[in-house]
Amino acid sequence: MAHISIIGRGNMGQVIAGLAGKGGDTVELFGSSDTDKEVTGDIVVLAVPYPAVAQVIAQRGAQLAGKVVVDISNPLDFETFDSLTVPADGSATAEIAAALPQSRVVKAFNTNFAATLATGTVGGQPTTVLIAGDDADAKAALTAVVTAAGLRAVDAGSLKRARELEAVGFLQLTLAAAEKTSWTGGFGLAE
């Protein structure tokens, strides 16, 4: 079993903590006021909005060395809600990986809504968590957490695929915000 640290006590942080616990993993949750507590998990989930990631890295970068770091962010422009804030040929995850060269960074959960993670289904299909990263062992560790919780994990490829995952996450968020799909729905993969 894994020991998981989740930075962020919002909806996604709470749901991912519940999933990890359901799968038998141990979990510690950190809020913004917990800066004096050390992150001890083997897997660390950055369950904060993209604008807050830089502050987390500044505060905890040394604690994240050697760990699997999971970026769940969607780097969208929260003022206009009409574009991503990273260059078209990059991703938030690539920026995080560059800032944390001693960590094994993966992208996951950004194409899922909290509700579909909690229920375990999307449109009658099992909820699928897409995982991208360059470290096979890091992806395998996260896959074990996801599948132990009863969800489906799919290897989406290398860390370069984070760009496409962020585009899908952005599209899904804008559709839900425009009430063209529900926050309990979303994209799913049929087997």
Coordinates of all heavy atoms in Angstrom, one line a residue, residues 37-81:
K37 N 3.8 21.6 8.6 CA 3.8 20.1 8.6 C 4.5 19.6 7.4 O 4.3 20.1 6.3 CB 2.4 19.6 8.6 CG 1.6 20.0 9.8 CD 0.2 19.5 9.8 CE -0.6 20.0 11.0 NZ -2.0 19.7 10.8
E38 N 5.4 18.6 7.6 CA 6.1 18.0 6.5 C 5.3 17.0 5.7 O 4.6 16.2 6.3 CB 7.4 17.4 7.0 CG 8.3 16.9 5.9 CD 9.7 16.6 6.4 OE1 10.1 17.0 7.5 OE2 10.4 15.9 5.6
V39 N 5.5 17.0 4.4 CA 4.9 16.1 3.5 C 5.7 14.8 3.6 O 6.9 14.8 3.3 CB 4.9 16.6 2.1 CG1 4.4 15.5 1.1 CG2 4.0 17.8 2.0
T40 N 5.0 13.7 4.0 CA 5.8 12.4 4.1 C 5.3 11.3 3.2 O 5.9 10.2 3.2 CB 5.6 11.9 5.6 OG1 4.2 11.7 5.8 CG2 6.1 12.9 6.6
G41 N 4.4 11.6 2.3 CA 3.9 10.6 1.4 C 4.9 10.2 0.3 O 5.7 11.0 -0.1
D42 N 4.8 8.9 -0.1 CA 5.6 8.5 -1.3 C 5.0 9.1 -2.6 O 5.7 9.3 -3.5 CB 5.5 7.0 -1.4 CG 6.0 6.3 -0.1 OD1 7.1 6.7 0.4 OD2 5.3 5.4 0.3
I43 N 3.7 9.3 -2.6 CA 3.0 9.9 -3.6 C 2.4 11.2 -3.1 O 1.7 11.2 -2.0 CB 1.8 9.0 -4.2 CG1 2.4 7.7 -4.7 CG2 1.0 9.8 -5.3 CD1 1.4 6.7 -5.1
V44 N 2.6 12.3 -3.8 CA 2.1 13.6 -3.4 C 1.2 14.2 -4.5 O 1.6 14.3 -5.6 CB 3.2 14.6 -3.1 CG1 2.7 16.0 -2.6 CG2 4.2 14.1 -2.0
V45 N -0.1 14.4 -4.1 CA -1.0 15.0 -5.1 C -1.2 16.5 -4.9 O -1.5 16.9 -3.8 CB -2.4 14.3 -4.9 CG1 -3.4 14.9 -5.9 CG2 -2.3 12.8 -5.1
L46 N -0.9 17.2 -5.9 CA -1.1 18.7 -5.9 C -2.5 19.0 -6.3 O -2.8 19.2 -7.4 CB -0.1 19.4 -6.8 CG 1.4 19.1 -6.6 CD1 2.3 19.8 -7.6 CD2 1.8 19.4 -5.2
A47 N -3.4 19.0 -5.3 CA -4.8 19.2 -5.5 C -5.2 20.7 -5.3 O -6.0 21.0 -4.4 CB -5.6 18.3 -4.7
V48 N -4.4 21.5 -5.9 CA -4.7 23.0 -5.8 C -4.8 23.6 -7.2 O -4.4 23.0 -8.2 CB -3.5 23.7 -5.1 CG1 -3.3 23.2 -3.7 CG2 -2.2 23.5 -5.9
P49 N -5.5 24.7 -7.3 CA -5.6 25.4 -8.6 C -4.2 25.7 -9.1 O -3.3 26.0 -8.4 CB -6.4 26.6 -8.3 CG -7.1 26.4 -7.0 CD -6.2 25.5 -6.2
Y50 N -4.1 25.7 -10.5 CA -2.8 26.0 -11.1 C -2.1 27.2 -10.6 O -0.9 27.2 -10.3 CB -2.9 26.0 -12.6 CG -1.6 26.3 -13.3 CD1 -0.6 25.4 -13.2 CD2 -1.4 27.5 -14.0 CE1 0.6 25.6 -13.8 CE2 -0.2 27.7 -14.6 CZ 0.8 26.8 -14.5 OH 2.0 27.1 -15.1
P51 N -2.8 28.4 -10.4 CA -2.1 29.6 -9.9 C -1.5 29.3 -8.5 O -0.5 30.1 -8.1 CB -3.2 30.6 -9.8 CG -4.2 30.2 -10.8 CD -4.2 28.7 -10.7
A52 N -1.9 28.4 -7.7 CA -1.3 28.1 -6.4 C -0.1 27.1 -6.4 O 0.6 27.0 -5.4 CB -2.4 27.6 -5.4
V53 N 0.1 26.5 -7.5 CA 1.2 25.5 -7.6 C 2.5 26.1 -7.3 O 3.3 25.5 -6.6 CB 1.1 24.8 -9.0 CG1 2.4 23.9 -9.2 CG2 -0.1 23.9 -9.1
A54 N 2.8 27.3 -7.9 CA 4.2 27.9 -7.7 C 4.4 28.1 -6.2 O 5.6 27.9 -5.8 CB 4.3 29.2 -8.5
Q55 N 3.4 28.5 -5.5 CA 3.6 28.7 -4.0 C 3.9 27.4 -3.3 O 4.7 27.4 -2.4 CB 2.4 29.4 -3.4 CG 2.6 29.7 -2.0 CD 1.4 30.4 -1.4 OE1 0.4 30.7 -2.1 NE2 1.4 30.7 -0.1
V56 N 3.2 26.4 -3.7 CA 3.4 25.1 -3.1 C 4.8 24.6 -3.3 O 5.5 24.1 -2.4 CB 2.4 24.0 -3.6 CG1 2.7 22.6 -3.1 CG2 1.0 24.4 -3.1
I57 N 5.3 24.8 -4.6 CA 6.6 24.4 -4.9 C 7.7 25.2 -4.2 O 8.7 24.6 -3.6 CB 6.9 24.4 -6.4 CG1 6.0 23.3 -7.1 CG2 8.3 24.3 -6.8 CD1 6.0 23.4 -8.6
A58 N 7.4 26.5 -4.0 CA 8.3 27.3 -3.3 C 8.4 26.9 -1.8 O 9.5 26.9 -1.2 CB 7.9 28.8 -3.4
Q59 N 7.3 26.5 -1.2 CA 7.2 26.2 0.2 C 7.7 24.7 0.4 O 8.3 24.4 1.4 CB 5.8 26.3 0.7 CG 5.3 27.7 0.8 CD 3.8 27.7 1.2 OE1 3.1 26.7 1.0 NE2 3.4 28.8 1.7
R60 N 7.5 23.8 -0.5 CA 7.7 22.4 -0.2 C 8.6 21.7 -1.2 O 8.7 20.5 -1.2 CB 6.3 21.7 -0.2 CG 5.4 22.2 0.9 CD 4.2 21.4 1.0 NE 3.3 21.8 2.0 CZ 3.4 21.5 3.3 NH1 4.4 20.8 3.7 NH2 2.5 21.9 4.2
G61 N 9.2 22.4 -2.1 CA 10.0 21.8 -3.2 C 11.0 20.8 -2.7 O 11.1 19.7 -3.2
A62 N 11.7 21.1 -1.6 CA 12.7 20.2 -1.1 C 12.0 18.9 -0.5 O 12.6 17.8 -0.6 CB 13.5 20.9 0.0
Q63 N 10.9 19.0 0.0 CA 10.1 17.9 0.6 C 9.6 16.9 -0.5 O 9.4 15.8 -0.3 CB 8.9 18.3 1.4 CG 9.3 19.1 2.6 CD 8.0 19.6 3.3 OE1 6.9 19.1 3.2 NE2 8.2 20.7 4.1
L64 N 9.5 17.5 -1.7 CA 9.0 16.7 -2.9 C 10.1 15.9 -3.6 O 9.7 15.1 -4.5 CB 8.2 17.6 -3.8 CG 7.1 18.4 -3.2 CD1 6.4 19.3 -4.2 CD2 6.0 17.5 -2.5
A65 N 11.3 16.1 -3.3 CA 12.4 15.4 -4.0 C 12.3 13.9 -3.8 O 12.0 13.5 -2.6 CB 13.8 15.9 -3.5
G66 N 12.4 13.2 -4.8 CA 12.4 11.7 -4.8 C 11.0 11.1 -4.7 O 10.8 9.9 -4.7
K67 N 10.0 12.0 -4.7 CA 8.6 11.5 -4.6 C 7.9 11.5 -5.9 O 8.3 12.2 -6.9 CB 7.8 12.4 -3.6 CG 8.4 12.3 -2.2 CD 7.6 13.2 -1.2 CE 8.2 13.3 0.1 NZ 8.3 12.0 0.9
V68 N 6.8 10.7 -6.0 CA 5.9 10.8 -7.2 C 5.0 12.0 -6.9 O 4.3 12.1 -5.9 CB 5.1 9.5 -7.3 CG1 4.0 9.7 -8.4 CG2 5.9 8.3 -7.6
V69 N 5.0 13.0 -7.8 CA 4.2 14.2 -7.7 C 3.1 14.2 -8.8 O 3.5 14.1 -9.9 CB 5.1 15.5 -7.8 CG1 4.2 16.7 -7.7 CG2 6.1 15.5 -6.6
V70 N 1.9 14.2 -8.3 CA 0.8 14.1 -9.3 C 0.2 15.5 -9.4 O -0.3 16.1 -8.5 CB -0.3 13.2 -8.7 CG1 -1.5 13.1 -9.7 CG2 0.3 11.8 -8.4
D71 N 0.2 16.0 -10.7 CA -0.4 17.3 -11.0 C -1.8 17.1 -11.5 O -2.0 16.4 -12.5 CB 0.5 18.0 -12.1 CG -0.2 19.2 -12.7 OD1 -1.0 19.9 -11.9 OD2 0.0 19.5 -13.9
I72 N -2.8 17.6 -10.9 CA -4.2 17.5 -11.3 C -4.7 18.8 -11.9 O -5.9 18.8 -12.3 CB -5.1 17.0 -10.2 CG1 -5.4 18.1 -9.2 CG2 -4.5 15.8 -9.4 CD1 -6.6 17.8 -8.3
S73 N -3.9 19.8 -12.0 CA -4.4 21.1 -12.4 C -4.8 21.2 -13.9 O -4.3 20.5 -14.7 CB -3.3 22.2 -12.1 OG -2.2 22.1 -13.0
N74 N -5.6 22.2 -14.1 CA -5.9 22.6 -15.5 C -5.6 24.1 -15.5 O -6.2 24.9 -14.8 CB -7.4 22.4 -15.8 CG -7.7 21.0 -16.1 OD1 -7.1 20.4 -17.0 ND2 -8.6 20.3 -15.3
P75 N -4.6 24.5 -16.3 CA -4.1 25.9 -16.2 C -4.9 26.8 -17.1 O -4.5 27.4 -18.1 CB -2.7 25.7 -16.8 CG -2.8 24.6 -17.8 CD -3.8 23.6 -17.1
L76 N -6.2 27.0 -16.7 CA -7.0 27.9 -17.5 C -7.1 29.3 -16.9 O -6.8 29.5 -15.7 CB -8.4 27.3 -17.6 CG -9.2 27.0 -16.4 CD1 -10.3 28.1 -16.2 CD2 -9.9 25.7 -16.5
D77 N -7.4 30.2 -17.8 CA -7.5 31.6 -17.4 C -8.8 31.7 -16.7 O -9.9 31.7 -17.3 CB -7.4 32.5 -18.7 CG -7.5 33.9 -18.3 OD1 -8.1 34.3 -17.3 OD2 -6.9 34.7 -19.1
F78 N -8.8 31.9 -15.4 CA -10.0 31.9 -14.5 C -10.7 33.3 -14.7 O -11.9 33.4 -14.3 CB -9.6 31.7 -13.1 CG -9.3 30.2 -12.8 CD1 -8.0 29.8 -12.6 CD2 -10.3 29.3 -12.7 CE1 -7.7 28.5 -12.3 CE2 -10.0 27.9 -12.5 CZ -8.7 27.6 -12.3
E79 N -10.1 34.3 -15.2 CA -10.8 35.6 -15.4 C -11.7 35.5 -16.7 O -12.8 36.0 -16.6 CB -9.7 36.7 -15.6 CG -9.1 37.0 -14.2 CD -8.1 38.2 -14.4 OE1 -8.3 39.0 -15.3 OE2 -7.2 38.3 -13.5
T80 N -11.1 35.0 -17.8 CA -11.9 34.9 -19.0 C -12.5 33.6 -19.3 O -13.5 33.5 -20.1 CB -11.0 35.3 -20.2 OG1 -10.0 34.3 -20.3 CG2 -10.4 36.6 -20.1
F81 N -12.0 32.5 -18.7 CA -12.4 31.2 -18.9 C -12.4 30.8 -20.4 O -13.3 30.0 -20.8 CB -13.8 31.0 -18.3 CG -14.0 29.7 -17.5 CD1 -13.2 29.5 -16.3 CD2 -14.8 28.7 -17.9 CE1 -13.4 28.4 -15.5 CE2 -15.0 27.6 -17.1 CZ -14.3 27.4 -16.0

